[in-house]
Structure formats: structure tokens, C-alpha cells
């Protein structure tokens, strides 16, 4: 194993978002061009290494400016791409879709002054949704949601602060965190019933939260939250109450955890994350590592999947190859010039059964 360079060092490829079903990813370059890149499912390599297979649009806002690049949204007519674009000098929502053999891009209706969209990921969904950031009538920066093709459905997510939360696959709901007293707690918001349910009540500042179906628990919904940026709590609903069933705390050199994500492989759930010796997530000089963890409290599993080379690793994402799951991450190869590259690390979990 070890870190494998998959991008062209001359391109500054950043924040690839994968569409597993079609072996591809989308991203935006520093000149505002939105691209689709391809991944070789046999090797996990980018083809070509530039990530520039198909040019989707120009005039988009760079990732560094708005906090995230283009994202996938799954619809009944296939996967589409949502992103932030400039409209007469203002940020606005944009969308690209595959139609009659070509990708066509344009601004979303009534999307001016909105940015950083995240799409729902329910395949075949006839009512796909996006959440995004904008200002409400009081000029406060908040998170909104809407149906992709219906601007009149726009509504504010109560209590949500940018960058907002995550859509839960298979549910018309968003998980998010918000302030409660001196800490932060996890919540679930159903966009249809408009019910906001508090999920966590224990001590600690909760940040990243993700809910998924865990095969270890008969495909029940579980969720995890990053707590105090030093450990991850995994929660399960038992007897009508959400309870912490496991704490992820990898034996890494760095005690701080960032950017946790989850995937399912061969009937088990795995959480991967960045570990660091510093709280400074914005640092482009402090080396970090990538770790993998299981969620089985009876048999703890931890694995550092990045190698021992000192790198400034950020933004890990998973793509499952024929060899097994690989985690891709950004490396600041020249922090002073902002030069970046994408590496991959093999999880060592092997091919799908």
C-alpha cells in the first residue's frame, strides 16, 4: 500500500466528487471551469490524470471561495451536477444535465444570491432536492432547501447555520448540528413534516454529522457525529431513543479529527477521516494522516491507510474499485504557491464479495 499520485501535477485538481455508478467525478478548477473526470475501475487511476474528460461549464465560483465545488444530485433522469456560478457579478445556483448525448449547463431559476448547493442522492428520485446557503429576509446567512426544479418550494432549514447539513439517503430529511447551550448537538429535519428532532443530548461540541443504513444492524439507520474534533460518536435508535453505541478514537499521532465520511463494503460500515496534531484545519503546512475505522464495539478496527510520508492531506473521498475501496485526498504539494495534487490510498479491505 502507500500513497499513489493519480492527478497531473500541473493541473491543481481539487475536491473531486465521485459518482460511483458511472466511474467519474466532477470538480471545478481555479479558472472557474467545471469538469467531469473519469476513473479506471480496475486500477483506481484518473483517466486522464488531468481530470479533464468533459468540459461542463465556465464561469463557476472556485471551491476555495464558496466552501465546496460541484456536487452530484440524483434524479429520475440520471445524475446531474449542481454548483455555484457567477451571474452578473453575484453568486448563483447552477445545474448541468446530460441531454440528447451532451451535457448542457445553465443557471437555476430563482437561484441568484444563493451558493454552495448539496444534492440529495436517491437514485431515480422524481423529486430531487438541494440545500444551499443564502440570506433570509432578515439578511441573516442561513441554509435553505428546495426541490431542484421548483424554486417556489424554497424554505429555510430552521436553526441551520452555513454550511448546513447532509441529506439522508432514502429519507426526505437533513441531518445537521446547531447550538444548544454552550455546546452543539445533532438534529434531524424532515422537509415534509417540518419537524426538527434533536438527536443528541450528551456533552461535547458536535460538528460533522452523517446518517446512513448500517448492514451490521439489519440496515437500520445509524448516525455519527464528530465530537470536540477529537473523537466520533456512533449512535443507534433503541426503544425509541438515540444512544451512543461506539466511540471512534484512532490510535493516531494526531489527536484531532477532521472530515469524517462513511462507506459500506462487504456488509460492514467504515468511517475514514483526517488526523492531525493541530486544531488548525486551514493550515497548508502541518502534516496530516488518513485513518480508517470500523464501528463494531466488540472488535475494534483501526488502520492508517496513508503512508509515512509527511503530507498536508485534506478532503478525503471514497471510490470503490474492482480491487476494493480507495480513499482519495488532496495534498498541498507547494503550500506557498497553492499547488495541489490528488493521491489515493488503498483501504486494504479487498474486492467486493
Amino acid at each position: 500500500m502507500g500513497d499513489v499520485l493519480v492527478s497531473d501535477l500541473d493541473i491543481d485538481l481539487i475536491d473531486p466528487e465521485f459518482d460511483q455508478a458511472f466511474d467519474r467525478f466532477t470538480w471545478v478548477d481555479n479558472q472557474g471551469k467545471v469538469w467531469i473526470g473519469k476513473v479506471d475501475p480496475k486500477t483506481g487511476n484518473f483517466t486522464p490524470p488531468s481530470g479533464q474528460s468533459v468540459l461542463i461549464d465556465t464561469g463557476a465560483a472556485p471551491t476555495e471561495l464558496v466552501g465546496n465545488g460541484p456536487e452530484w444530485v440524483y434524479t429520475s433522469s440520471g445524475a446531474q451536477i449542481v454548483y455555484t456560478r457567477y451571474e452578473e457579478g453575484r453568486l448563483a445556483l447552477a445545474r448541468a444535465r446530460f441531454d440528447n448525448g451532451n451535457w448542457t449547463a445553465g443557471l437555476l431559476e430563482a437561484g441568484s444570491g444563493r451558493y454552495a448547493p448539496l444534492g440529495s442522492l436517491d437514485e431515480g428520485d422524481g423529486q430531487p432536492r438541494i440545500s444551499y446557503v443564502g440570506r433570509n429576509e432578515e439578511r441573516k446567512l442561513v441554509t435553505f432547501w428546495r426541490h431542484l426544479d421548483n424554486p417556489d418550494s424554497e424554505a429555510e432549514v430552521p436553526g441551520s447555520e452555513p454550511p448546513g447539513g447532509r441529506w439522508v439517503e432514502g429519507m426526505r430529511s437533513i441531518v445537521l448540528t446547531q447550538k444548544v447551550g454552550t455546546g452543539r448537538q445533532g438534529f434531524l429535519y424532515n422537509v415534509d413534516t417540518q419537524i426538527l428532532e434533536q438527536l443528541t443530548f450528551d456533552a461535547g461540541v458536535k460538528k460533522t454529522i452523517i446518517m446512513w443504513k448500517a448492514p451490521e444492524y439489519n440496515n437500520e439507520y445509524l448516525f455519527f457525529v464528530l465530537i470536540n474534533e477529537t473523537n466520533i460518536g456512533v449512535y443507534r435508535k433503541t426503544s425509541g431513543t438515540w444512544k451512543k453505541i461506539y466511540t471512534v478514537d484512532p490510535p493516531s499521532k494526531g489527536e484531532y479529527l477532521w472530515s469524517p465520511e462513511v462507506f459500506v463494503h462487504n456488509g460492514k460500515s467504515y468511517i475514514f477521516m483526517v488526523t492531525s496534531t493541530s486544531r488548525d484545519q486551514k493550515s497548508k503546512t502541518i502534516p496530516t494522516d488518513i485513518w480508517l475505522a470500523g464501528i463494531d464495539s466488540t472488535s475494534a478496527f483501526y488502520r492508517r491507510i496513508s503512508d509515512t510520508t509527511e503530507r498536508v492531506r485534506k478532503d478525503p473521498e471514497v471510490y470503490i474499485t474492482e480491487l476494493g475501496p480507495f480513499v482519495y485526498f488532496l495534498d498541498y504539494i507547494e503550500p506557498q504557491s497553492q499547488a495541489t495534487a490528488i493521491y489515493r490510498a488503498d483501504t486494504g479491505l479487498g474486492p467486493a464479495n
Side-chain angles (χ1 to χ4, degrees):
M1 293 191 285
D3 300 350
V4 177
L5 178 68
V6 293
S7 70
D8 189 328
L9 291 176
D10 296 326
I11 296 297
D12 293 343
L13 202 160
I14 188 171
D15 192 26
E17 293 292 338
F18 292 93
D19 177 22
Q20 177 74 45
F22 288 90
D23 305 311
R24 60 189 177 182
F25 59 91
T26 184
W27 65 289
V28 60
D29 66 23
N30 292 328
Q31 288 73 49
K33 295 178 181 177
V34 179
W35 297 93
I36 287 180
K38 297 292 289 182
V39 196
D40 184 342
K42 292 182 172 61
T43 65
N45 293 334
F46 289 176
T47 55
S50 67
Q52 298 175 342
S53 295
V54 182
L55 177 62
I56 298 299
D57 198 8
T58 61
T63 301
E64 192 114 356
L65 176 67
V66 295
N68 73 300
E71 299 276 349
W72 297 100
V73 54
Y74 293 166
T75 79
S76 57
S77 58
Q80 300 183 21
I81 300 170
V82 288
Y83 53 100
T84 308
R85 185 174 166 185
Y86 290 109
E87 178 190 22
E88 297 180 352
R90 296 189 70 195
L91 297 178
L93 301 175
R95 176 258 299 279
R97 50 188 163 183
F98 194 71
D99 186 33
N100 292 324
N102 294 293
W103 283 92
T104 59
L107 294 168
L108 277 179
E109 183 182 352
S112 183
R114 309 295 197 237
Y115 63 93
L118 287 172
S120 56
L121 298 175
D122 297 322
E123 293 185 14
D125 192 353
Q127 287 190 307
R129 291 140 280 134
I130 55 173
S131 60
Y132 46 90
V133 178
R135 293 192 181 276
N136 62 12
E137 293 180 355
E138 289 77 39
R139 304 301 299 160
K140 181 182 177 183
L141 212 56
V142 299
T143 300
F144 291 99
W145 82 274
R146 62 178 263 191
H147 290 119
L148 179 64
D149 294 306
N150 181 10
D152 292 335
S153 65
E154 180 179 86
E156 187 174 331
V157 178
S160 180
E161 303 170 351
R166 302 277 192 107
W167 291 103
V168 181
E169 289 188 42
M171 296 174 60
R172 289 175 53 84
S173 299
I174 294 173
V175 281
L176 61 145
T177 67
Q178 56 180 265
K179 292 178 183 177
V180 177
T182 58
R184 293 186 70 88
Q185 299 293 352
F187 289 80
L188 177 72
Y189 180 65
N190 184 300
V191 298
D192 293 329
T193 64
Q194 299 180 31
I195 292 175
L196 182 68
E197 175 191 0
Q198 185 169 342
L199 303 178
T200 63
F201 297 85
D202 46 335
V205 176
K206 315 299 194 301
K207 289 199 173 178
T208 306
I209 178 169
I210 295 178
M211 184 176 284
W212 80 102
K213 288 183 178 180
E216 301 95 326
Y217 294 92
N218 300 314
N219 281 325
E220 292 176 28
Y221 281 104
L222 268 59
F223 72 86
F224 75 71
V225 286
L226 179 62
I227 305 174
N228 296 327
E229 296 185 327
T230 57
N231 64 81
I232 295 168
V234 179
Y235 296 74
R236 181 191 184 195
K237 199 169 194 175
T238 56
S239 302
T241 303
W242 289 99
K243 297 178 182 179
K244 188 192 295 185
I245 60 170
Y246 190 55
T247 297
V248 174
D249 188 7
S252 55
K253 179 175 64 176
E255 63 178 303
Y256 299 103
L257 311 181
W258 310 332
S259 305
E261 301 275 355
V262 66
F263 68 90
V264 170
H265 185 64
N266 288 339
K268 293 186 177 181
S269 305
Y270 296 93
I271 298 173
F272 59 97
M273 70 217 79
V274 176
T275 68
S276 177
T277 57
S278 169
R279 280 190 181 274
D280 184 7
Q281 292 192 37
K282 295 183 179 180
S283 171
K284 297 175 182 177
T285 58
I286 298 172
T288 56
D289 296 311
I290 307 293
W291 278 75
L292 181 70
I295 65 165
D296 185 353
S297 59
T298 64
S299 179
F301 170 81
Y302 294 104
R303 176 179 291 162
R304 188 187 69 194
I305 58 174
S306 55
D307 62 27
T308 58
T309 307
E310 288 198 346
R311 303 188 198 280
V312 185
R313 301 173 176 91
K314 308 267 189 183
D315 301 326
E317 300 281 351
V318 70
Y319 166 76
I320 300 176
T321 73
E322 293 178 11
L323 301 172
F326 287 177
V327 172
Y328 295 73
F329 57 87
L330 176 74
D331 173 35
Y332 280 96
I333 53 177
E334 293 179 20
Q336 302 307 317
S337 66
Q338 307 295 306
T340 59
I342 302 294
Y343 285 79
R344 62 169 170 80
D346 189 346
T347 60
L349 298 176
N353 289 339

